[in-house]
């Protein structure tokens, strides 16, 4: 980019451009922002006019960034992080703790382990509002998709504050009736669909199945546990999701799989009061 002076850059234009840079399509950016794709196109045209530079190349549905566009996207990502920090500070009060905190966590972990700490935050700090999004992917903290992420894998890069909350073990489980009536050589297994083929628990399940069929597949862990309790096969589950009332029995194996649980928050907002109180509540429960 040259030294041409420009003024009046609209943050909304920049925000729409960043969404496009991250998603690669107008439709993806529109879905991310909850607007019409025509709005995204209009906002980007406005930004290009403000800067006097072409930022994108339109080639069919997929859109590529120009060299100037790549530079603007890098700066816009930094602006988004700083804006998130300012917005959180603006929502926090020195007299009464206030703010909206968005947490991203795997669905099974969310339903079993996060209800208690979130309820505690709401009791003790009624001015703090919480949105919990159950998702397997690591939500982008840079793009403000979440303020806090709880995950079973440690991020490899990023300006994050990362805390190991603990570990959880995975074992094989099946109903008592299934184990009593089906010999081990005839076992069939319940696993994830193809979207989770590379997950450590799916790889371990395939290893233990040793050629025996994985006859039922689902991305929903709760469904796996439910159908296993009905005698549909052998399933691999994290121990924390298996209740005594489920009717499932653990099958002991050598070297059970253990995975770490991590809490991730962007460094720029980790000390915002509303964020900090949620982090402390999650750490207290999950570390136990």
């Amino acid at each position: 980019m040259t030294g041409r002076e420009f003024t009046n850059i609209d943050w909304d234009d920049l925000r729409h451009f960043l969404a496009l840079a991250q998603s690669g399509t107008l439709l993806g950016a529109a879905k991310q922002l909850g607007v019409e794709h025509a709005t995204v196109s209009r906002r980007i045209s406005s930004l290009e006019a403000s800067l006097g530079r072409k930022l994108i190349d339109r080639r069919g549905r997929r859109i590529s960034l120009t060299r100037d566009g790549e530079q603007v996207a890098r700066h816009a990502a930094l602006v988004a992080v700083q804006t998130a920090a300012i917005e959180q500070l603006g929502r926090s009060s020195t007299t009464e703790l206030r703010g909206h905190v968005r947490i991203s966590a795997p669905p099974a972990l969310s339903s079993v382990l996060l209800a208690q700490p979130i309820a505690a935050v709401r009791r003790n700090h009624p001015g703090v509002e919480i949105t919990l999004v159950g998702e397997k992917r690591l939500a982008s903290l840079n793009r403000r998709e979440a303020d806090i992420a709880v995950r079973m894998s440690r991020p490899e890069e990023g300006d994050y504050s990362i805390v190991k909350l603990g570990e959880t073990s995975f074992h094989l489980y099946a109903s008592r009736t299934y184990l009593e009536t089906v010999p081990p050589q005839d076992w069939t297994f319940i696993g994830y669909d193809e979207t989770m083929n590379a997950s450590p628990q799916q790889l371990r399940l395939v290893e233990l199945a040793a050629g025996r069929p994985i006859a039922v597949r689902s991305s929903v862990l709760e469904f796996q546990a439910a159908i296993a309790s009905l005698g549909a096969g052998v399933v691999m589950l994290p121990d924390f999701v298996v209740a005594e009332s489920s009717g499932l029995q653990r099958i002991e194996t050598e070297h059970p799989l253990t995975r770490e649980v991590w809490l991730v928050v962007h460094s720029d907002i980790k000390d915002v009061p509303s964020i900090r109180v949620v982090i402390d509540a999650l750490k207290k429960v999950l570390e136990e």
Side-chain angles (χ1 to χ4, degrees), residues 47 52 96 98 116 142 149 155 172 196-197 205 212 241 266 274 283:
L47 181 62
E96 181 183 358
R98 291 186 175 278
Q116 180 180 342
N142 283 337
L172 294 178
M196 294 282 286
N197 277 345
L205 177 68
R212 291 169 291 183
V241 307
H266 202 283
S274 57
K283 286 172 62 177

Side-chain angles (χ1 to χ4, degrees), residues 80-139:
V81 171
Q82 297 298 328
T83 300
I86 293 170
E87 288 176 349
Q88 285 290 351
L89 287 170
R91 287 195 287 260
S92 300
S93 167
T94 56
T95 56
E96 181 183 358
L97 197 58
R98 291 186 175 278
H100 179 260
V101 180
R102 188 177 179 89
I103 306 169
S104 170
L109 193 151
S110 299
S111 59
V112 177
L113 298 181
L114 301 191
Q116 180 180 342
I118 290 174
V121 170
R122 290 291 304 139
R123 283 195 304 270
N124 298 327
H125 305 283
V128 176
E129 299 176 357
I130 297 173
T131 297
L132 175 62
V133 181
E135 52 189 356
K136 297 180 179 67
R137 71 187 182 93
L138 180 60

Side-chain angles (χ1 to χ4, degrees), residues 1 9 23 37-38 41 43 52 69 76 87 116 138 180 185 196 212 215 251 253 263:
M1 297 178 68
I9 293 179
S23 66
H37 71 274
S41 181
R43 286 288 188 176
E87 288 176 349
Q116 180 180 342
L138 180 60
E180 290 175 348
Q185 65 269 22
M196 294 282 286
R212 291 169 291 183
I251 303 169
T253 59
L263 185 148

